[in-house]
């Protein structure tokens, strides 16, 4: 018996050609015995190193056999290992449980410039799973790791504990919550103690990465940094972010809305540059616009000086791609002599274990 298969003509059943052209059933589940077993929890290794790569041989240089001499990478041994509990996938409400590329490029910067953090008092905003805090802890005097959600704070605390960051403290901090100290009604173990209410005036460095993803949070961040200007010696802020570029249905153009909004809040772009009423409302709400005007207030311009830093430092962590969209900014906060009172700082899937190996010294090649 032969069967007709359209333009394939007549095909005899039972032949391989007949099998290859049977319709594919997409409404059937595979038999239970064919399902892949649950995979073990993966372990990811991220290598940090201060070793400079070997000098490349002269172009065209040959060995004794006449073969080209190729550069070879030195073997390295771990200085220490960071073990982090995190998610490899997340939704927006629990994105703090996932490790993002901005934190990795900030860690590379820290490894390349450890002297900037030696003996420093540091606060990390939006610490998430705590990679940055755990990495910088051995180089600084103290680090206060902050975030918001209960689950994120639990994971953050666990990661800092299991990585022996004994000089790290976990505290809850919401950039959108008015008043300082934050939430005096907080009864959790992450509440701010009365003895810590002066910590903002003692800071040397503020670290933050991957928190420019929501415009309300971005406005709160700029207002929070501006509020630090009331202290006689404000900290310097290092901000790492990924410039996410998407197609906007509203404007029918490719743009990076969250990134552009940050630039408007800092006064780098006109506040009316592709700004909708929602963004203008946020800037008014957080006091970033001059009263009755649509330009950034003179206080923000006078107190914040933001500059994009080069990211051409060594990428000692090969597990992420350092794209042009990964940026690092340094924000200098100038003291505001005209303000005497303390600021309203805030107005203005499966858990996986990840290991991060830090490499510094080369190991001799085995002969």
């Amino acid at each position: 018996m032969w069967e007709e298969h359209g333009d394939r003509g007549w095909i005899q059943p039972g032949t391989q050609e007949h099998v290859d052209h049977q319709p594919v059933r997409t409404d059937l589940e595979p038999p239970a015995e064919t399902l892949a077993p649950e995979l073990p929890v993966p372990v990811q290794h991220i290598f940090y190193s201060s070793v400079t790569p070997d000098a490349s041989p002269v172009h065209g240089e040959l060995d004794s056999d006449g073969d080209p001499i190729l550069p070879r990478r030195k073997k390295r041994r771990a200085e220490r290992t960071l073990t982090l509990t995190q998610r490899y996938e997340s939704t927006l409400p629990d994105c703090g449980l996932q490790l993002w590329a901005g934190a990795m490029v900030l860690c590379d910067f820290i490894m390349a410039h450890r002297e900037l953090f030696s003996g420093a008092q540091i606060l990390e905003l939006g610490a998430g799973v705590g990679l940055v805090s755990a990495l910088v802890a051995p180089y600084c005097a103290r680090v206060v790791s902050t975030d918001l959600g209960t689950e994120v704070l639990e994971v953050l605390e666990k990661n800092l504990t299991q990585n022996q960051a004994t000089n790290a403290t976990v505290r809850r901090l919401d950039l959108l919550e008015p008043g300082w100290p934050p939430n005096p009604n907080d009864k959790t173990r992450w509440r701010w103690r009365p003895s810590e209410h002066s910590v903002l005036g003692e800071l040397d460095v503020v670290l933050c990465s991957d928190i420019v993803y929501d415009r309300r949070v971005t406005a709160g961040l700029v207002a929070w940094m501006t509020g630090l200007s009331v202290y006689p010696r404000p900290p310097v802020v290092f901000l790492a972010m990924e410039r996410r570029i998407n197609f906007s249905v509203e404007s029918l153009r490719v743009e990076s809305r969250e990134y552009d909004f940050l630039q408007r809040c800092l006064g780098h772009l006109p506040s009316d540059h592709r700004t909708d009423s929602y963004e203008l409302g946020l800037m008014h709400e957080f006091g970033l616009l001059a009263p009755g005007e649509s330009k950034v207030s003179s206080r923000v311009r006078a107190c914040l000086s933001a500059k994009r830093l080069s990211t051409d430092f060594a990428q000692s962590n090969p597990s992420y791609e350092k794209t042009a969209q990964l940026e690092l900014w340094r924000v200098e906060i100038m003291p505001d002599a005209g303000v005497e009172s303390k600021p309203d700082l805030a107005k203005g899937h499966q858990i996986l274990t990840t290991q991060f190996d830090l490499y510094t010294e080369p190991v001799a090649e085995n002969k």
Side-chain angles (χ1 to χ4, degrees):
M1 179 182 293
W2 294 75
E3 295 180 359
E4 186 177 5
H5 287 261
D7 59 357
R8 297 291 301 175
W10 292 85
I11 300 177
Q12 185 177 12
T15 64
Q16 185 61 44
E17 187 178 10
H18 177 268
V19 173
D20 291 342
H21 291 86
Q22 291 302 303
V24 178
R25 294 291 302 276
T26 59
D27 58 336
L28 299 178
E29 292 292 335
E33 61 271 13
T34 66
L35 293 176
E38 184 176 354
L39 296 176
V41 175
V43 176
Q44 178 184 2
H45 297 281
I46 295 184
F47 308 121
Y48 289 98
S49 171
S50 58
V51 175
T52 56
D54 294 344
S56 299
V58 179
H59 179 69
E61 187 177 356
L62 305 177
D63 62 13
S64 58
D65 295 328
D67 298 322
I69 299 178
L70 302 177
R72 299 187 182 276
R73 185 175 297 176
K74 290 182 178 179
K75 290 185 178 180
R76 298 169 292 180
R77 66 185 179 194
E79 174 187 355
R80 59 193 178 101
T81 298
L82 298 182
T83 302
L84 297 182
T85 298
Q86 64 148 328
R87 288 181 179 173
Y88 284 173
E89 294 181 355
S90 63
T91 58
L92 186 60
D94 58 5
C95 62
L97 295 172
Q98 182 175 349
L99 187 59
W100 300 92
M104 298 184 188
V105 75
L106 182 55
C107 285
D108 276 342
F109 174 76
I110 294 171
M111 292 294 292
H113 301 282
R114 303 185 198 186
E115 69 282 356
L116 297 178
F117 310 97
S118 176
Q121 299 284 335
I122 297 177
L123 181 141
E124 185 183 5
L125 292 173
V129 297
L131 173 63
V132 175
S133 289
L135 179 75
V136 78
Y139 313 128
C140 68
R142 180 191 182 192
V143 57
V144 182
S145 304
T146 68
D147 216 299
L148 181 58
T150 298
E151 187 177 4
V152 175
L153 290 170
E154 290 176 345
V155 171
L156 172 60
E157 190 174 58
K158 173 183 177 181
N159 286 334
L160 293 177
T161 299
Q162 67 186 0
N163 287 290
Q164 293 81 46
T166 56
N167 59 338
T169 306
V170 177
R171 291 292 179 261
R172 187 193 303 273
L173 181 60
D174 185 358
L175 291 174
L176 306 181
E177 186 178 89
W180 179 261
N183 192 2
N185 298 320
D186 186 0
K187 304 301 181 183
T188 68
R189 64 180 181 272
W190 306 297
R191 67 186 182 277
W192 292 82
R193 277 56 170 179
S195 61
E196 299 171 332
H197 292 177
S198 62
V199 68
L200 295 185
E202 303 167 354
L203 293 176
D204 299 302
V205 176
V206 173
L207 301 173
C208 43
S209 60
D210 300 299
I211 62 175
V212 181
Y213 63 90
D214 177 89
R215 284 172 286 176
R216 173 170 286 274
V217 175
T218 299
L221 170 64
V222 175
W224 188 87
M225 292 190 297
T226 305
L228 293 178
S229 64
V230 301
Y231 296 106
R233 192 179 58 85
V236 62
V237 180
F238 292 101
L239 172 62
M241 72 191 88
E242 183 175 1
R243 184 177 182 178
R244 295 176 173 88
I245 302 175
N246 300 293
F247 179 79
S248 172
V249 177
E250 293 83 3
S251 63
L252 298 180
R253 62 168 60 95
V254 175
E255 58 185 14
S256 179
R257 174 158 292 186
E258 286 72 20
Y259 178 89
D260 289 346
F261 181 64
L262 172 65
Q263 302 306 310
R264 283 191 286 272
C265 291
L266 293 172
H268 292 179
L269 288 176
S271 54
D272 58 352
H273 175 75
R274 298 181 183 175
T275 306
D276 55 28
S277 58
Y278 173 70
E279 293 178 346
L280 287 174
L282 287 177
M283 297 176 75
H284 277 293
E285 177 184 349
F286 287 91
L288 304 179
L289 294 182
E293 299 184 19
S294 60
K295 63 179 181 180
V296 174
S297 70
S298 58
R299 185 186 178 205
V300 174
R301 290 177 178 272
C303 295
L304 301 183
S305 175
K307 179 182 179 181
R308 182 180 174 183
L309 301 180
S310 170
T311 57
D312 62 356
F313 43 81
Q315 181 181 347
S316 50
N317 173 1
S319 65
Y320 76 99
E321 182 180 0
K322 189 191 288 186
T323 65
Q325 284 70 46
L326 279 175
E327 297 187 6
L328 180 65
W329 286 73
R330 178 189 177 106
V331 183
E332 297 281 353
I333 304 176
M334 313 301 175
D336 187 351
V339 178
E340 298 180 357
S341 60
K342 289 294 183 287
D344 184 359
L345 290 173
K347 189 172 179 181
H349 319 235
Q350 183 184 5
I351 295 293
L352 304 176
T353 298
T354 306
Q355 290 187 336
F356 301 88
D357 290 341
L358 308 185
Y359 285 75
T360 56
E361 300 181 12
V363 177
E365 299 274 357
N366 294 327
K367 300 294 185 180

PDB file of all heavy atoms in Angstrom, residues 57-83:
ATOM      1  N   PRO A  57      54.011  36.869  22.471  1.00  0.00           N
ATOM      2  CA  PRO A  57      55.266  36.761  21.719  1.00  0.00           C
ATOM      3  C   PRO A  57      55.248  37.700  20.519  1.00  0.00           C
ATOM      4  O   PRO A  57      54.202  38.150  20.065  1.00  0.00           O
ATOM      5  CB  PRO A  57      55.271  35.294  21.279  1.00  0.00           C
ATOM      6  CG  PRO A  57      53.831  34.892  21.278  1.00  0.00           C
ATOM      7  CD  PRO A  57      53.193  35.653  22.398  1.00  0.00           C
ATOM      8  N   VAL A  58      56.425  38.008  20.038  1.00  0.00           N
ATOM      9  CA  VAL A  58      56.543  38.850  18.857  1.00  0.00           C
ATOM     10  C   VAL A  58      55.858  38.150  17.684  1.00  0.00           C
ATOM     11  O   VAL A  58      55.962  36.932  17.513  1.00  0.00           O
ATOM     12  CB  VAL A  58      58.021  39.134  18.546  1.00  0.00           C
ATOM     13  CG1 VAL A  58      58.152  39.995  17.288  1.00  0.00           C
ATOM     14  CG2 VAL A  58      58.688  39.807  19.741  1.00  0.00           C
ATOM     15  N   HIS A  59      55.135  38.937  16.894  1.00  0.00           N
ATOM     16  CA  HIS A  59      54.418  38.369  15.765  1.00  0.00           C
ATOM     17  C   HIS A  59      55.386  37.647  14.830  1.00  0.00           C
ATOM     18  O   HIS A  59      56.408  38.201  14.414  1.00  0.00           O
ATOM     19  CB  HIS A  59      53.690  39.477  14.999  1.00  0.00           C
ATOM     20  CG  HIS A  59      52.941  38.964  13.803  1.00  0.00           C
ATOM     21  ND1 HIS A  59      51.825  38.174  13.906  1.00  0.00           N
ATOM     22  CD2 HIS A  59      53.184  39.123  12.474  1.00  0.00           C
ATOM     23  CE1 HIS A  59      51.393  37.871  12.701  1.00  0.00           C
ATOM     24  NE2 HIS A  59      52.196  38.437  11.812  1.00  0.00           N
ATOM     25  N   GLY A  60      55.077  36.393  14.540  1.00  0.00           N
ATOM     26  CA  GLY A  60      55.905  35.620  13.641  1.00  0.00           C
ATOM     27  C   GLY A  60      57.030  34.867  14.319  1.00  0.00           C
ATOM     28  O   GLY A  60      57.805  34.184  13.651  1.00  0.00           O
ATOM     29  N   GLU A  61      57.127  34.976  15.666  1.00  0.00           N
ATOM     30  CA  GLU A  61      58.194  34.276  16.375  1.00  0.00           C
ATOM     31  C   GLU A  61      57.942  32.771  16.339  1.00  0.00           C
ATOM     32  O   GLU A  61      56.822  32.312  16.553  1.00  0.00           O
ATOM     33  CB  GLU A  61      58.264  34.774  17.818  1.00  0.00           C
ATOM     34  CG  GLU A  61      59.458  34.229  18.588  1.00  0.00           C
ATOM     35  CD  GLU A  61      59.533  34.817  19.986  1.00  0.00           C
ATOM     36  OE1 GLU A  61      58.702  35.692  20.309  1.00  0.00           O
ATOM     37  OE2 GLU A  61      60.432  34.398  20.743  1.00  0.00           O
ATOM     38  N   LEU A  62      58.994  31.991  16.080  1.00  0.00           N
ATOM     39  CA  LEU A  62      58.868  30.550  15.934  1.00  0.00           C
ATOM     40  C   LEU A  62      59.712  29.845  16.980  1.00  0.00           C
ATOM     41  O   LEU A  62      60.711  30.387  17.475  1.00  0.00           O
ATOM     42  CB  LEU A  62      59.297  30.115  14.527  1.00  0.00           C
ATOM     43  CG  LEU A  62      58.593  30.795  13.344  1.00  0.00           C
ATOM     44  CD1 LEU A  62      59.198  30.300  12.035  1.00  0.00           C
ATOM     45  CD2 LEU A  62      57.090  30.558  13.394  1.00  0.00           C
ATOM     46  N   ASP A  63      59.293  28.609  17.314  1.00  0.00           N
ATOM     47  CA  ASP A  63      60.100  27.819  18.233  1.00  0.00           C
ATOM     48  C   ASP A  63      61.170  27.058  17.443  1.00  0.00           C
ATOM     49  O   ASP A  63      61.329  27.243  16.230  1.00  0.00           O
ATOM     50  CB  ASP A  63      59.225  26.879  19.054  1.00  0.00           C
ATOM     51  CG  ASP A  63      58.485  25.862  18.201  1.00  0.00           C
ATOM     52  OD1 ASP A  63      58.840  25.720  17.000  1.00  0.00           O
ATOM     53  OD2 ASP A  63      57.565  25.198  18.707  1.00  0.00           O
ATOM     54  N   SER A  64      61.911  26.160  18.146  1.00  0.00           N
ATOM     55  CA  SER A  64      63.022  25.450  17.500  1.00  0.00           C
ATOM     56  C   SER A  64      62.559  24.528  16.391  1.00  0.00           C
ATOM     57  O   SER A  64      63.345  24.155  15.512  1.00  0.00           O
ATOM     58  CB  SER A  64      63.805  24.650  18.551  1.00  0.00           C
ATOM     59  OG  SER A  64      62.936  23.720  19.211  1.00  0.00           O
ATOM     60  N   ASP A  65      61.281  24.121  16.420  1.00  0.00           N
ATOM     61  CA  ASP A  65      60.754  23.249  15.372  1.00  0.00           C
ATOM     62  C   ASP A  65      60.144  24.024  14.219  1.00  0.00           C
ATOM     63  O   ASP A  65      59.588  23.423  13.294  1.00  0.00           O
ATOM     64  CB  ASP A  65      59.696  22.301  15.961  1.00  0.00           C
ATOM     65  CG  ASP A  65      60.308  21.344  16.973  1.00  0.00           C
ATOM     66  OD1 ASP A  65      61.481  20.983  16.799  1.00  0.00           O
ATOM     67  OD2 ASP A  65      59.596  20.972  17.932  1.00  0.00           O
ATOM     68  N   GLY A  66      60.167  25.348  14.328  1.00  0.00           N
ATOM     69  CA  GLY A  66      59.591  26.150  13.261  1.00  0.00           C
ATOM     70  C   GLY A  66      58.109  26.405  13.412  1.00  0.00           C
ATOM     71  O   GLY A  66      57.472  26.925  12.488  1.00  0.00           O
ATOM     72  N   ASP A  67      57.524  26.035  14.571  1.00  0.00           N
ATOM     73  CA  ASP A  67      56.099  26.269  14.802  1.00  0.00           C
ATOM     74  C   ASP A  67      55.894  27.632  15.450  1.00  0.00           C
ATOM     75  O   ASP A  67      56.722  28.095  16.251  1.00  0.00           O
ATOM     76  CB  ASP A  67      55.518  25.183  15.702  1.00  0.00           C
ATOM     77  CG  ASP A  67      55.619  23.797  15.072  1.00  0.00           C
ATOM     78  OD1 ASP A  67      55.421  23.712  13.841  1.00  0.00           O
ATOM     79  OD2 ASP A  67      55.890  22.829  15.807  1.00  0.00           O
ATOM     80  N   PRO A  68      54.751  28.305  15.157  1.00  0.00           N
ATOM     81  CA  PRO A  68      54.472  29.614  15.772  1.00  0.00           C
ATOM     82  C   PRO A  68      54.341  29.474  17.291  1.00  0.00           C
ATOM     83  O   PRO A  68      53.781  28.501  17.801  1.00  0.00           O
ATOM     84  CB  PRO A  68      53.146  30.031  15.130  1.00  0.00           C
ATOM     85  CG  PRO A  68      53.029  29.211  13.894  1.00  0.00           C
ATOM     86  CD  PRO A  68      53.731  27.921  14.167  1.00  0.00           C
ATOM     87  N   ILE A  69      54.889  30.444  18.008  1.00  0.00           N
ATOM     88  CA  ILE A  69      54.767  30.477  19.470  1.00  0.00           C
ATOM     89  C   ILE A  69      53.500  31.236  19.828  1.00  0.00           C
ATOM     90  O   ILE A  69      53.334  32.405  19.456  1.00  0.00           O
ATOM     91  CB  ILE A  69      56.000  31.146  20.107  1.00  0.00           C
ATOM     92  CG1 ILE A  69      57.263  30.363  19.755  1.00  0.00           C
ATOM     93  CG2 ILE A  69      55.834  31.258  21.616  1.00  0.00           C
ATOM     94  CD1 ILE A  69      58.527  30.987  20.309  1.00  0.00           C
ATOM     95  N   LEU A  70      52.599  30.578  20.539  1.00  0.00           N
ATOM     96  CA  LEU A  70      51.317  31.169  20.915  1.00  0.00           C
ATOM     97  C   LEU A  70      51.347  31.575  22.378  1.00  0.00           C
ATOM     98  O   LEU A  70      51.983  30.919  23.211  1.00  0.00           O
ATOM     99  CB  LEU A  70      50.183  30.171  20.673  1.00  0.00           C
ATOM    100  CG  LEU A  70      50.044  29.654  19.243  1.00  0.00           C
ATOM    101  CD1 LEU A  70      48.923  28.629  19.165  1.00  0.00           C
ATOM    102  CD2 LEU A  70      49.791  30.799  18.278  1.00  0.00           C
ATOM    103  N   PRO A  71      50.647  32.642  22.743  1.00  0.00           N
ATOM    104  CA  PRO A  71      50.590  33.029  24.163  1.00  0.00           C
ATOM    105  C   PRO A  71      49.837  31.977  24.955  1.00  0.00           C
ATOM    106  O   PRO A  71      48.836  31.419  24.500  1.00  0.00           O
ATOM    107  CB  PRO A  71      49.835  34.359  24.131  1.00  0.00           C
ATOM    108  CG  PRO A  71      49.053  34.327  22.862  1.00  0.00           C
ATOM    109  CD  PRO A  71      49.870  33.544  21.883  1.00  0.00           C
ATOM    110  N   ARG A  72      50.299  31.696  26.148  1.00  0.00           N
ATOM    111  CA  ARG A  72      49.655  30.713  27.007  1.00  0.00           C
ATOM    112  C   ARG A  72      49.246  31.373  28.311  1.00  0.00           C
ATOM    113  O   ARG A  72      49.979  32.198  28.853  1.00  0.00           O
ATOM    114  CB  ARG A  72      50.596  29.531  27.278  1.00  0.00           C
ATOM    115  CG  ARG A  72      50.997  28.793  26.008  1.00  0.00           C
ATOM    116  CD  ARG A  72      51.790  27.535  26.305  1.00  0.00           C
ATOM    117  NE  ARG A  72      52.194  26.865  25.070  1.00  0.00           N
ATOM    118  CZ  ARG A  72      51.421  26.022  24.397  1.00  0.00           C
ATOM    119  NH1 ARG A  72      50.198  25.762  24.846  1.00  0.00           N
ATOM    120  NH2 ARG A  72      51.854  25.452  23.291  1.00  0.00           N
ATOM    121  N   ARG A  73      48.086  31.000  28.771  1.00  0.00           N
ATOM    122  CA  ARG A  73      47.559  31.573  29.999  1.00  0.00           C
ATOM    123  C   ARG A  73      48.145  30.861  31.214  1.00  0.00           C
ATOM    124  O   ARG A  73      48.239  29.642  31.258  1.00  0.00           O
ATOM    125  CB  ARG A  73      46.030  31.421  30.016  1.00  0.00           C
ATOM    126  CG  ARG A  73      45.365  32.090  31.180  1.00  0.00           C
ATOM    127  CD  ARG A  73      43.863  31.995  31.053  1.00  0.00           C
ATOM    128  NE  ARG A  73      43.391  32.698  29.860  1.00  0.00           N
ATOM    129  CZ  ARG A  73      42.122  32.699  29.466  1.00  0.00           C
ATOM    130  NH1 ARG A  73      41.218  32.033  30.137  1.00  0.00           N
ATOM    131  NH2 ARG A  73      41.771  33.364  28.385  1.00  0.00           N
ATOM    132  N   LYS A  74      48.568  31.656  32.191  1.00  0.00           N
ATOM    133  CA  LYS A  74      49.113  31.073  33.406  1.00  0.00           C
ATOM    134  C   LYS A  74      48.025  30.384  34.215  1.00  0.00           C
ATOM    135  O   LYS A  74      46.889  30.848  34.267  1.00  0.00           O
ATOM    136  CB  LYS A  74      49.749  32.157  34.271  1.00  0.00           C
ATOM    137  CG  LYS A  74      51.036  32.739  33.717  1.00  0.00           C
ATOM    138  CD  LYS A  74      51.606  33.765  34.690  1.00  0.00           C
ATOM    139  CE  LYS A  74      52.917  34.332  34.184  1.00  0.00           C
ATOM    140  NZ  LYS A  74      53.476  35.349  35.121  1.00  0.00           N
ATOM    141  N   LYS A  75      48.403  29.282  34.835  1.00  0.00           N
ATOM    142  CA  LYS A  75      47.490  28.647  35.768  1.00  0.00           C
ATOM    143  C   LYS A  75      47.483  29.456  37.061  1.00  0.00           C
ATOM    144  O   LYS A  75      48.500  29.990  37.477  1.00  0.00           O
ATOM    145  CB  LYS A  75      47.904  27.205  36.047  1.00  0.00           C
ATOM    146  CG  LYS A  75      47.708  26.271  34.868  1.00  0.00           C
ATOM    147  CD  LYS A  75      48.027  24.844  35.258  1.00  0.00           C
ATOM    148  CE  LYS A  75      47.779  23.895  34.095  1.00  0.00           C
ATOM    149  NZ  LYS A  75      48.092  22.487  34.463  1.00  0.00           N
ATOM    150  N   ARG A  76      46.319  29.519  37.712  1.00  0.00           N
ATOM    151  CA  ARG A  76      46.203  30.299  38.917  1.00  0.00           C
ATOM    152  C   ARG A  76      45.566  29.465  40.020  1.00  0.00           C
ATOM    153  O   ARG A  76      44.830  28.539  39.752  1.00  0.00           O
ATOM    154  CB  ARG A  76      45.353  31.550  38.657  1.00  0.00           C
ATOM    155  CG  ARG A  76      45.934  32.488  37.631  1.00  0.00           C
ATOM    156  CD  ARG A  76      44.944  33.553  37.216  1.00  0.00           C
ATOM    157  NE  ARG A  76      43.828  32.983  36.474  1.00  0.00           N
ATOM    158  CZ  ARG A  76      42.820  33.712  36.007  1.00  0.00           C
ATOM    159  NH1 ARG A  76      42.784  35.003  36.213  1.00  0.00           N
ATOM    160  NH2 ARG A  76      41.837  33.138  35.346  1.00  0.00           N
ATOM    161  N   ARG A  77      45.856  29.817  41.238  1.00  0.00           N
ATOM    162  CA  ARG A  77      45.244  29.117  42.343  1.00  0.00           C
ATOM    163  C   ARG A  77      44.342  30.078  43.111  1.00  0.00           C
ATOM    164  O   ARG A  77      44.554  31.290  43.111  1.00  0.00           O
ATOM    165  CB  ARG A  77      46.308  28.531  43.266  1.00  0.00           C
ATOM    166  CG  ARG A  77      47.147  29.565  43.993  1.00  0.00           C
ATOM    167  CD  ARG A  77      48.251  28.901  44.786  1.00  0.00           C
ATOM    168  NE  ARG A  77      49.088  29.871  45.465  1.00  0.00           N
ATOM    169  CZ  ARG A  77      50.262  29.576  45.991  1.00  0.00           C
ATOM    170  NH1 ARG A  77      50.739  28.336  45.888  1.00  0.00           N
ATOM    171  NH2 ARG A  77      50.971  30.503  46.608  1.00  0.00           N
ATOM    172  N   ALA A  78      43.363  29.529  43.773  1.00  0.00           N
ATOM    173  CA  ALA A  78      42.362  30.361  44.437  1.00  0.00           C
ATOM    174  C   ALA A  78      42.949  31.034  45.663  1.00  0.00           C
ATOM    175  O   ALA A  78      43.576  30.404  46.502  1.00  0.00           O
ATOM    176  CB  ALA A  78      41.173  29.507  44.845  1.00  0.00           C
ATOM    177  N   GLU A  79      42.757  32.338  45.740  1.00  0.00           N
ATOM    178  CA  GLU A  79      43.107  33.063  46.952  1.00  0.00           C
ATOM    179  C   GLU A  79      42.078  32.747  48.040  1.00  0.00           C
ATOM    180  O   GLU A  79      42.418  32.526  49.185  1.00  0.00           O
ATOM    181  CB  GLU A  79      43.138  34.559  46.670  1.00  0.00           C
ATOM    182  CG  GLU A  79      43.360  35.417  47.906  1.00  0.00           C
ATOM    183  CD  GLU A  79      43.211  36.886  47.600  1.00  0.00           C
ATOM    184  OE1 GLU A  79      43.040  37.242  46.416  1.00  0.00           O
ATOM    185  OE2 GLU A  79      43.262  37.687  48.542  1.00  0.00           O
ATOM    186  N   ARG A  80      40.821  32.754  47.671  1.00  0.00           N
ATOM    187  CA  ARG A  80      39.736  32.353  48.566  1.00  0.00           C
ATOM    188  C   ARG A  80      38.524  32.029  47.705  1.00  0.00           C
ATOM    189  O   ARG A  80      38.468  32.385  46.527  1.00  0.00           O
ATOM    190  CB  ARG A  80      39.413  33.447  49.584  1.00  0.00           C
ATOM    191  CG  ARG A  80      38.992  34.771  48.984  1.00  0.00           C
ATOM    192  CD  ARG A  80      38.994  35.870  50.029  1.00  0.00           C
ATOM    193  NE  ARG A  80      38.643  37.163  49.463  1.00  0.00           N
ATOM    194  CZ  ARG A  80      37.461  37.719  49.570  1.00  0.00           C
ATOM    195  NH1 ARG A  80      36.495  37.107  50.230  1.00  0.00           N
ATOM    196  NH2 ARG A  80      37.222  38.894  49.026  1.00  0.00           N
ATOM    197  N   THR A  81      37.566  31.377  48.295  1.00  0.00           N
ATOM    198  CA  THR A  81      36.363  30.970  47.575  1.00  0.00           C
ATOM    199  C   THR A  81      35.142  31.582  48.243  1.00  0.00           C
ATOM    200  O   THR A  81      34.983  31.489  49.462  1.00  0.00           O
ATOM    201  CB  THR A  81      36.227  29.442  47.564  1.00  0.00           C
ATOM    202  OG1 THR A  81      37.347  28.883  46.882  1.00  0.00           O
ATOM    203  CG2 THR A  81      34.953  29.015  46.857  1.00  0.00           C
ATOM    204  N   LEU A  82      34.297  32.202  47.452  1.00  0.00           N
ATOM    205  CA  LEU A  82      33.035  32.735  47.943  1.00  0.00           C
ATOM    206  C   LEU A  82      31.919  31.783  47.531  1.00  0.00           C
ATOM    207  O   LEU A  82      31.796  31.446  46.355  1.00  0.00           O
ATOM    208  CB  LEU A  82      32.769  34.124  47.358  1.00  0.00           C
ATOM    209  CG  LEU A  82      33.773  35.228  47.698  1.00  0.00           C
ATOM    210  CD1 LEU A  82      33.328  36.537  47.081  1.00  0.00           C
ATOM    211  CD2 LEU A  82      33.941  35.363  49.192  1.00  0.00           C
ATOM    212  N   THR A  83      31.137  31.335  48.482  1.00  0.00           N
ATOM    213  CA  THR A  83      30.005  30.457  48.209  1.00  0.00           C
ATOM    214  C   THR A  83      28.729  31.246  48.414  1.00  0.00           C
ATOM    215  O   THR A  83      28.454  31.723  49.518  1.00  0.00           O
ATOM    216  CB  THR A  83      30.028  29.236  49.139  1.00  0.00           C
ATOM    217  OG1 THR A  83      31.263  28.537  48.970  1.00  0.00           O
ATOM    218  CG2 THR A  83      28.865  28.300  48.820  1.00  0.00           C
TER     219      THR A  83
END
